[in-house]
Amino acid sequence: LKVENTSLQNLNALVQIDSSVITYGGQTIKLDSTRAFAFVRNDSTFIDVVSPFIDAQLNSTVYYTQMEAFIQQIINQFMPPAMAANMLNDNKMKHPEAIGNAQNTQNTEGSNGNKSTQNVPNTEGSLNANILIKPNPAYGAFVKDLKFETPIEINGNITTANIDSVVNIKLNVPSLTMGSLHVSPTRGTVLGKNDSLLVNIVTDTLQASSFLLYDARIDGSFSKNHVTAQILTHDINKKNQYALTVFAVPNNEKGYDISLGKDLLLNKTKWLVNENNQVKTSPEGFNVQNFVISNEQQSIKANNETASINSPILVNVSNFKLNTISTLMDEKTFSVDGVMNADLKVSDLKNTIPTLDGQIKVDSIIFQNTSIGNLDM
């Protein structure tokens, strides 16, 4: 440990660990040397870390004592007011002086016409980070069977100088395996504009046991009181196979009102969606109303019996073709077809295993290209 200066304007410190041993879960992990160097030049803070797990380079025009508060300011710019306030209060308990110096709030007119508290950054600056997560067999001790052979790259920049690009983060995962889960090249971006946070993730293939997705894409936006997520997957020939859009808005129950968008594609076939569908969530549970999706003679319906949270759910499935969802599986290891009809009542939702009453019928079952017959229970 070598610290020549700890002042904000003249920071100069070096930490080096020649070797270390970590004991975790009954395993002993030996690590090579780790080195961290921090210094300030021309009012910019530089931090450089080289370790067996991660190499990181960070530079910022914000002093190191202000970085946490600076990041919190940026987060508050995109989060719903209540959520931002909760995070701010949590951090106040940990670092009251840092947050207190950085906090600046103003009243703004919300999209619903109500007054809301919006956290506005008042510390000008920027923070740039380049992070390389390196392959290491020790990961398997912390996350079972986690491994990758090519480094994972994360490059990010957050700034208050440009409202069109407040946050700009890029992620590149060449490949990753965790047990039966295998993710091929995956790329992600997070872009913050004004008060909107835009997220895009694309993976070439994602496989978990027999579950297989090609060219899967997630596009999301997070802006104060609204969350939108669009999911699109393709078949092996790059044709659109599954697509859905989900919307979520914070409610008065300390949860979200979630609805399914009209653009629903299941196994390359468009389905109609009841535009009044809604799932209301709260810390106590959830309530489903007007959930209806249909395609010609096929339909799936779900409603809670009452508007009360966790009241019994009534589910009706009519002439549903199993290959509508079974094509998500790898046909080499799993294929099933048939027609399902069901009338169910799901109750005791607070229990670990809810109570299920009703009838399920599956006709003309074909499993792995072999006719099985019918199922009635």
Side-chain angles (χ1 to χ4, degrees):
L1 175 65
K2 182 179 180 182
V3 179
E4 295 185 0
N5 199 316
T6 59
S7 68
L8 298 181
Q9 294 81 9
N10 299 290
L11 174 67
N12 193 333
L14 171 67
V15 177
Q16 183 164 325
I17 303 174
D18 290 333
S19 62
S20 58
V21 176
I22 298 176
T23 301
Y24 182 85
Q27 299 186 52
T28 300
I29 305 167
K30 296 182 179 180
L31 302 177
D32 294 332
S33 62
T34 297
R35 177 180 179 274
F37 182 44
F39 64 96
V40 171
R41 293 290 184 274
N42 299 321
D43 291 327
S44 292
T45 301
F46 298 86
I47 299 175
D48 185 86
V49 177
V50 178
S51 75
F53 297 111
I54 294 176
D55 289 351
Q57 294 81 42
L58 182 148
N59 66 81
S60 174
T61 58
V62 178
Y63 292 128
Y64 70 93
T65 56
Q66 300 172 319
M67 286 184 185
E68 182 179 355
F70 176 71
I71 293 172
Q72 182 66 58
Q73 288 179 159
I74 299 297
I75 291 173
N76 292 347
Q77 187 168 340
F78 304 106
M79 282 192 168
M83 190 180 298
N86 288 338
M87 290 190 65
L88 188 64
N89 290 335
D90 289 342
N91 276 340
K92 274 184 177 180
M93 295 177 66
K94 298 176 182 177
H95 307 287
E97 72 290 339
I99 300 297
N101 292 335
Q103 182 183 7
N104 179 30
T105 61
Q106 66 181 20
N107 289 328
T108 60
E109 195 78 19
S111 60
N112 57 3
N114 297 326
K115 292 289 183 178
S116 63
T117 300
Q118 179 179 359
N119 291 286
V120 179
N122 66 346
T123 300
E124 296 295 330
S126 64
L127 189 154
N128 300 281
N130 296 301
I131 300 172
L132 197 68
I133 303 176
K134 300 186 291 188
N136 194 306
Y139 290 124
F142 302 100
V143 180
K144 187 177 180 180
D145 298 327
L146 174 64
K147 57 184 177 181
F148 52 92
E149 297 180 354
T150 306
I152 297 172
E153 299 178 44
I154 303 173
N155 303 295
N157 167 262
I158 59 175
T159 179
T160 58
N162 184 1
I163 62 173
D164 288 331
S165 184
V166 178
V167 175
N168 193 339
I169 300 173
K170 295 181 179 179
L171 168 71
N172 181 37
V173 183
S175 66
L176 183 146
T177 300
M178 187 169 62
S180 62
L181 174 66
H182 177 74
V183 180
S184 75
T186 299
R187 300 158 298 282
T189 60
V190 178
L191 182 63
K193 286 188 174 184
N194 297 312
D195 63 352
S196 297
L197 197 63
L198 309 176
V199 179
N200 168 256
I201 300 173
V202 179
T203 183
D204 288 356
T205 58
L206 185 153
Q207 184 167 14
S209 297
S210 297
F211 185 80
L212 180 62
L213 295 178
Y214 293 101
D215 194 21
R217 179 186 182 100
I218 299 176
D219 291 289
S221 65
F222 190 59
S223 178
K224 295 301 180 184
N225 294 321
H226 295 82
V227 179
T228 302
Q230 296 175 307
I231 301 173
L232 174 65
T233 72
H234 301 80
D235 64 12
I236 195 169
N237 297 314
K238 302 296 184 181
K239 293 183 178 180
N240 292 357
Q241 188 169 24
Y242 292 91
L244 62 86
T245 304
V246 177
F247 304 96
V249 180
N251 58 35
N252 295 327
E253 307 295 329
K254 297 183 179 180
Y256 277 87
D257 290 342
I258 304 169
S259 60
L260 183 65
K262 64 179 181 178
D263 298 320
L264 178 63
L265 186 72
L266 300 179
N267 196 20
K268 306 177 186 177
T269 302
K270 291 185 178 180
W271 282 56
L272 299 177
V273 178
N274 183 347
E275 63 181 13
N276 296 317
N277 77 90
Q278 184 183 85
V279 178
K280 181 183 291 291
T281 68
S282 76
E284 287 73 37
F286 65 93
N287 183 276
V288 181
Q289 294 296 326
N290 303 311
F291 181 86
V292 182
I293 61 174
S294 61
N295 170 256
E296 297 181 350
Q297 302 302 314
Q298 300 183 82
S299 68
I300 299 176
K301 304 176 183 179
N303 279 280
N304 282 73
E305 278 190 323
T306 70
S308 300
I309 294 295
N310 292 332
S311 63
I313 301 176
L314 303 178
V315 180
N316 175 267
V317 180
S318 180
N319 299 313
F320 183 71
K321 299 176 182 178
L322 297 183
N323 69 358
T324 301
I325 56 174
S326 66
T327 49
L328 285 168
M329 308 297 181
D330 185 353
E331 294 182 355
K332 297 178 181 178
T333 58
F334 183 91
S335 66
V336 65
D337 199 1
V339 179
M340 174 187 287
N341 288 275
D343 275 300
L344 303 171
K345 181 177 180 178
V346 186
S347 55
D348 300 321
L349 297 176
K350 288 187 176 181
N351 295 345
T352 303
I353 302 177
T355 300
L356 187 66
D357 296 309
Q359 184 178 36
I360 299 175
K361 294 180 64 177
V362 184
D363 297 325
S364 306
I365 302 173
I366 299 175
F367 180 72
Q368 299 295 81
N369 298 318
T370 301
S371 179
I372 301 298
N374 303 325
L375 173 67
D376 191 345
M377 63 180 184

